[in-house]
Amino acid sequence: MFSELSRQLRPALIVFLALTLVTGVVYPLVVTAIAWTLFPTAAGGSLIVQEGVVRGSRLVGQPFDDLRYFWGRPSATGPFAYNASVSSGSNLGPTNPALIDAVQQRAADLRSAHPGRGTIPVDLVTASASGLDPHISPAAAQYQIERVAAARQLPAEQVRRLVEEQTEPETFGLLGEPRVNVLLLNLKLDELSAGTAVGQAAGEPANP
Amino acid sequence: MTAQGVLELTVYVVVLLAAAWPLGRYMARVYSESFVPPGWLALPERGIYRLAGVDPSAEMSWRMYALAMLAFNVLGLAVVYVLQRTQHLLPLNPEGLGPVSPDSSLNTAISFASNTNWQGYGGETTMSYLTQMLGLGVQNFVSAATGMAILVALVRGLKRTESGTIGNFWVDLTRSTLYILLPLSLILAIALVSQGVVQTFSPHAVATLTDPTTDVDGQSIAEQPIALGPAASQVAIKQLGTNGGGFFNVNSAHPLENPTPLSNFLECLAILLIPAALCFAFGHLVGDIWQGIALLAAMLLIFLPCLAFCYWAEAAGNPAVVAAMDSVEAISVAPATGNMEGKEVRFGIASSALWATATTAASNGSVNSMHDSYTPLGGLVPIWLMQLGEVVFGGVGSGLYGLLAFALITVFVAGLMVGRTPEYLGKKIEAFEMKMASLVILIPPALVLVGTAIAVTVPPGRAAISNPGAHGLSEVLYAFSSAGNNNGSAFAGLGANTPFYNLLLGVAMFVARYWLAIPILAIAGSLAAKKCVPTTSGTLPTHTPLFVVLLAGIVVLVGALTFLPALALGPIVEHLQMVSG
C-alpha cells in the first residue's frame, strides 16, 4: 500500500500545482482583466465620486439619523452602524427578548419622529442581513416623506415625486422586491435643496 | 406569500431544469472515454499529464483511486493551512492582516478541502487576497472536482462488468476542473461583475459620510471604510461548486457579493445547476436517461414541499415583532409583515426563503439572509434538509453518490419485501455493498447527534451559544448538522471560532467527507467486478414513479426517525413558545 501511495505522490503534487496555477492565478486574473475592460465602475465597487471625493458606494448603505434625510434600516455592524469593513447581521433568534426589545425601541423612536403616521413598515424595525442594506421598501420611504419635507422646508409633493423617481421595481417584474436606494435618494435630496445639480456620479479610474 | 413570490419560485425551478438538461448532456460527453476537446483546448490537459507523469489511459483499482484522492486532498489541506499561517509574510495583503490562529486555520483548511466551507472567521477581516485566491479559491474548484470524480468512478462501477478498475482519478479531476467548472465560473463571474460584484486588488476604499455618525463609545465617525477585493471570481465558483464560503463575512447577503435581484437569481441558480445536471449526466452515462430523471424526481419530491413550507413560515412572520410594530392596519406595499430580521430588502421574503432551501438542499451553505433569525419553522427546513444527508441535490458529485447509496438501500428494502436478491442497474446488491451503503447513511447522523450532545454538555460548547432557550440548542444542532454533512452554513450567532468548536467541527467535516467517499469507492470497485444479471419479471424497475416515491420515502424516513427527537427540543418547541407568546 505504501508503494502504491508513493507512486501517487508526484502526480498529486504536480496536478495540484498545475490546477492551482490555472484556478488560483490565471482564472482570477482573466476575470479581473475582462471585468475592468467591460465594467470598470462595477469592478471597482460602484463608488460614487463627486468632485474628487468618494461619497460612498451606490451598492452599500450608509447611516442616516438627521431629520433632513431618509433613514435606512437598522444595522448590526460594530462599532458603528453601516461599518462596511465588518459586515454582520444581528443573528438574534425569533424569540430572543433582545430582539423584541430592540424592535419595540425602534418602533417607539420612529413613532415619536413621525407623529400621526400609522403602521410602521417592518423593514424599518428589523436589522438587515449584511448590516449594509442600501435599500428600504417603498412603504418605508413613503412613511418618512412628511418628516423629511418639513425638516427641509420643501413641499411634501416634491419629495414624494423624488421618492417615486428613485423607486426601483422588481427586476423583470418578477425577481426580488421593489426598493428605494437610501444613499442615492438622500444625495438627490441635497441636490434639490441646494438648487444646483452636483456633478454626475462617476467611477474610479480603471486601475485593478 | 404573494403571487409574484410563488411565480418567482416557479420560474426558478423551470429555468433550473431547462439549463441542467443541456449541461448534463455536455458533462456526460466530457466523462466519456472518447472525449477529446477541440484544437488547442486540449493542450493544457495534455501538458499537466506529461509534467505529472500520468498516463491518462492507465486505469486504477478502487483502492488506488481512493489513495490518489486522499493524497491530493491532504496536500491541498496542508497548503491552505500554511497559507493562512504565513499570510502576513506573503504578498497581496493590502490590509496587513496577521496570521490566522492555528485552530481556526486547521478548521478552515479541512472545511475548504472537504467542500464544506464552514466559516468560523469573517472574510474581510481575516483572510488576505492571496489566501482567498490561492488557498480558498483553488479548493473551491478542486474539492468540487473531487466530488464529481468520485461520482464518475461509481457510475463506471455500475456500468462495467468483471472489471478490476474504475478509471483514473487524475483524469477525472482535471477534466471536471478544466472543462466543466472553469468555463461555467468564467461566464458567471463576468455576469456577476456586470451586476456590481466587486473584482479588484485595490485596498479597501474610504468614503466620506453624507451624515456623520457616532460609534458605541460616542466617538464621531465621519468616514466609512468599504471592504473590497477580488470577490466575483470567487463567488462564481463558490456557488457552482456547492462550496459556499463567502468572500465577505455575511456571504451573499453582502451588497458587493450579491448586489441585485438578478445577481441573486443567477447565484441561486448556480447552487443547484451542477447537482441537477449531474442527474441527467448520470442517465446518459448509464445508457438510460430515465434512471437519471427518476433520481432528480425523487430530489424534487422532497425539495419542493420544503421550499413551500419555508416560504410560508417566513412570510407569516414573527408575531412578537408584528405586535411591537403596533400593526393594526395591513399595508399594501410589500414587504408587509413577513420576517425581515436578517434579510435584505432587495431580496425580500421569497428570494431569501428560496436561497435558504436551495443552499441546504445542496451542500452549498452560502447564505443571502441570516438563518439564525429565521422563524423557528422557517429555520427548521434548512436544518432538516442538511440532516437528510445532503442527498436532495447535495454537493456536486457527493449529493448524487449519497443518493445512490440510498437507492441501494431502497432496492434492498424492496428486495426484502418480496424475498429476492436486490439489483440496481443489473448489478446484484449483496452484503458488502449494503455494509458500505450503511456506513454512508449512518456516519453523518452519528456525527451530528454525538457532536451536538458533547457540545451542549461541556462548558466551552455552551459558552458559544448566543441566543437563550430552545434557540440555543438549535444553534448547536445547526452547526453539527452543517459540519457533519459538509454543508457549511450556520446559525451564525454561535460564536464558533474557538479552539473547542474549530477542532470538533473540523473532525466532523473531515470524517463526513472522506469516510463517506471511501465506502462509495469501495462500492464502485465491488460493482465493477460483478457480472450483469439479466432483467426478469421479478426485477424492481428503478425508473418508475413507484421507485421514485419509495426512494424519497426512505430518505425522509431515515431523516425523520433519526432527528425528530432533537428537532422537537429545538425549533419545534421554540415555535410553540413563539405562537403562545
Side-chain angles (χ1 to χ4, degrees):
Chain A
M1 184 167 139
F2 284 103
S3 72
E4 282 181 341
L5 181 62
S6 64
R7 265 192 292 145
Q8 296 303 333
L9 288 184
R10 178 179 164 207
L13 192 66
I14 304 285
V15 173
F16 180 77
L17 289 178
L19 292 182
T20 298
L21 186 70
V22 173
T23 63
V25 179
V26 176
Y27 162 70
L29 290 183
V30 167
V31 171
T32 309
I34 298 176
W36 281 85
T37 310
L38 297 180
F39 313 104
T41 309
S46 308
L47 299 176
I48 305 168
V49 182
Q50 292 178 345
E51 293 162 352
V53 178
V54 180
R55 304 297 303 273
S57 163
R58 61 169 51 238
L59 297 175
V60 178
Q62 284 185 9
F64 287 101
D65 49 17
D66 193 292
L67 289 175
R68 300 166 65 250
Y69 288 114
F70 282 88
W71 300 338
R73 300 186 61 195
S75 158
T77 63
F80 58 93
Y82 289 90
N83 180 353
S85 61
V86 283
S87 58
S88 176
S90 76
N91 285 313
L92 294 176
T95 55
N96 192 330
L99 171 70
I100 311 306
D101 290 348
V103 168
Q104 280 170 345
Q105 184 60 48
R106 290 165 190 153
D109 292 348
L110 284 164
R111 239 176 256 122
S112 73
H114 304 86
R117 303 291 294 165
T119 313
I120 303 167
V122 70
D123 50 321
L124 285 182
V125 294
T126 49
S128 63
S130 61
L132 308 173
D133 196 340
H135 298 112
I136 52 177
S137 66
Q142 283 153 20
Y143 182 83
Q144 304 179 54
I145 285 174
E146 267 101 37
R147 189 251 308 155
V148 172
R152 288 184 175 258
Q153 294 169 324
L154 286 170
E157 201 43 45
Q158 204 175 359
V159 179
R160 186 180 309 280
R161 266 206 306 280
L162 192 62
V163 167
E164 277 164 15
E165 273 170 33
Q166 293 292 315
T167 302
E168 298 169 66
E170 298 99 330
T171 306
F172 313 133
L174 179 72
L175 308 179
E177 298 291 337
R179 59 208 182 275
V180 180
N181 185 309
V182 180
L183 174 60
L184 296 185
L185 175 63
N186 283 333
L187 289 176
K188 286 276 179 201
L189 260 181
D190 278 348
E191 284 177 29
L192 197 68
S193 292
T196 51
V198 188
Q200 273 283 305
E204 250 197 340
N207 182 20
Chain B
M1 292 171 88
T2 63
Q4 179 238 332
V6 174
L7 184 65
E8 179 183 340
L9 306 191
T10 312
V11 167
Y12 173 83
V13 175
V14 171
V15 172
L16 172 70
L17 296 178
W21 175 260
L23 180 62
R25 239 186 137 80
Y26 168 73
M27 287 199 288
R29 266 188 52 205
V30 169
Y31 290 124
S32 68
E33 264 117 77
S34 57
F35 177 71
V36 186
W40 59 271
L41 283 173
L43 291 180
E45 189 192 354
R46 256 185 267 147
I48 291 175
Y49 297 153
R50 191 160 312 149
L51 278 175
V54 169
D55 173 6
S57 63
E59 293 256 334
M60 296 176 174
S61 68
W62 80 262
R63 281 192 181 83
M64 189 75 126
Y65 201 99
L67 275 177
M69 184 271 291
L70 279 177
F72 181 80
N73 274 256
V74 170
L75 180 67
L77 197 158
V79 168
V80 176
Y81 180 84
V82 171
L83 271 174
Q84 292 176 88
R85 297 288 296 144
T86 58
Q87 64 175 7
H88 56 298
L89 308 171
L90 300 170
L92 276 181
N93 186 1
E95 298 306 310
L97 298 167
V100 184
S101 73
D103 54 292
S104 177
S105 297
L106 179 66
N107 179 283
T108 304
I110 295 173
S111 168
F112 278 74
S114 65
N115 198 251
T116 311
N117 305 52
W118 168 269
Q119 292 172 288
Y121 60 89
E124 62 268 54
T125 51
T126 314
M127 301 293 177
S128 74
Y129 293 169
L130 188 81
T131 309
Q132 295 259 22
M133 272 168 50
L134 215 54
L136 310 184
V138 170
Q139 287 303 316
N140 280 350
F141 278 97
V142 297
S143 67
T146 298
M148 291 154 84
I150 295 167
L151 172 70
V152 175
L154 177 60
V155 173
R156 289 200 193 99
L158 283 163
K159 189 85 175 119
R160 290 182 177 175
T161 48
E162 298 177 81
S163 160
T165 59
I166 55 170
N168 183 314
F169 175 71
W170 306 117
V171 174
D172 294 337
L173 176 82
T174 308
R175 291 195 160 181
S176 302
T177 308
L178 294 184
Y179 303 133
I180 297 169
L181 296 171
L182 203 54
L184 285 173
S185 300
L186 194 60
I187 296 167
L188 182 61
I190 301 301
L192 291 180
V193 174
S194 80
Q195 293 300 299
V197 179
V198 62
Q199 177 74 22
T200 177
F201 291 99
S202 308
H204 297 178
V206 177
T208 307
L209 285 177
T210 303
D211 182 13
T213 186
T214 50
D215 69 9
V216 285
D217 301 322
Q219 298 286 318
S220 178
I221 301 287
E223 289 184 331
Q224 179 190 41
I226 303 176
L228 304 172
S233 54
Q234 195 150 325
V235 173
I237 180 61
K238 77 138 174 170
Q239 296 303 101
L240 284 163
T242 61
N243 297 287
F247 192 87
F248 299 107
N249 183 38
V250 291
N251 212 296
S252 280
H254 197 292
L256 292 175
E257 188 159 336
N258 188 8
T260 67
L262 183 58
S263 70
N264 186 71
F265 187 80
L266 293 174
E267 288 182 24
C268 204
L269 197 64
I271 292 177
L272 295 186
L273 180 63
I274 294 180
L278 278 171
C279 293
F280 292 129
F282 175 80
H284 289 297
L285 285 171
V286 300
D288 177 3
I289 187 67
W290 288 104
Q291 299 290 346
I293 292 174
L295 296 174
L296 184 60
M299 292 178 178
L300 285 171
L301 197 60
I302 302 172
F303 175 77
L304 292 175
C306 285
L307 175 60
F309 186 72
C310 184
Y311 181 31
W312 165 78
E314 290 307 293
N318 184 341
V321 171
V322 174
M325 287 156 61
D326 207 7
S327 171
V328 278
E329 40 186 309
I331 49 170
S332 54
V333 191
T337 52
N339 178 21
M340 284 300 287
E341 180 72 23
K343 293 194 181 65
E344 300 277 295
V345 166
R346 61 192 180 283
F347 308 141
I349 303 289
S351 301
S352 300
L354 170 63
W355 188 300
T357 313
T359 197
T360 47
S363 76
N364 188 290
S366 64
V367 296
N368 76 347
S369 55
M370 293 298 116
H371 294 183
D372 211 350
S373 297
Y374 270 45
T375 60
L377 294 184
L380 170 74
V381 169
I383 300 183
W384 195 58
L385 277 169
M386 293 187 296
Q387 291 171 340
L388 290 182
E390 290 298 4
V391 295
V392 182
F393 294 102
V396 289
S398 62
L400 192 52
Y401 68 63
L403 189 65
L404 286 168
F406 269 103
L408 299 189
I409 303 275
T410 305
V411 293
F412 175 75
V413 170
L416 281 183
M417 290 177 188
V418 294
R420 278 183 54 94
T421 309
E423 296 156 22
Y424 187 66
L425 300 181
K427 290 294 174 71
K428 274 204 168 105
I429 306 304
E430 292 166 301
F432 181 75
E433 289 78 29
M434 283 312 298
K435 280 183 201 157
M436 294 297 125
S438 304
L439 280 181
V440 171
I441 282 159
L442 294 177
I443 285 176
L447 292 170
V448 174
L449 293 176
V450 174
T452 305
I454 293 174
V456 296
T457 312
V458 299
R462 287 198 302 272
I465 294 172
S466 74
N467 281 288
H471 197 83
L473 176 66
S474 300
E475 281 185 347
V476 177
L477 184 63
Y478 197 110
F480 283 93
S481 301
S482 179
N485 291 285
N486 295 132
N487 180 278
S489 65
F491 270 11
L494 187 75
N497 194 4
T498 62
F500 174 79
Y501 276 104
N502 278 332
L503 294 178
L504 201 56
L505 292 170
V507 169
M509 291 188 285
F510 190 86
V511 172
R513 177 69 166 184
Y514 301 107
W515 283 15
L516 267 54
I518 293 169
I520 289 287
L521 288 173
I523 293 176
S526 162
L527 291 178
K530 292 188 185 202
K531 290 184 185 143
C532 193
V533 292
T535 310
T536 66
S537 60
T539 307
L540 174 71
T542 51
H543 60 272
T544 58
L546 175 71
F547 181 78
V548 170
V549 172
L550 206 56
L551 174 58
I554 297 263
V555 172
V556 169
L557 202 66
V558 171
L561 287 177
T562 316
F563 292 106
L564 215 50
L567 291 170
L569 294 174
I572 293 173
V573 79
E574 191 188 14
H575 172 73
L576 298 175
Q577 286 170 333
M578 185 181 81
V579 293
S580 67

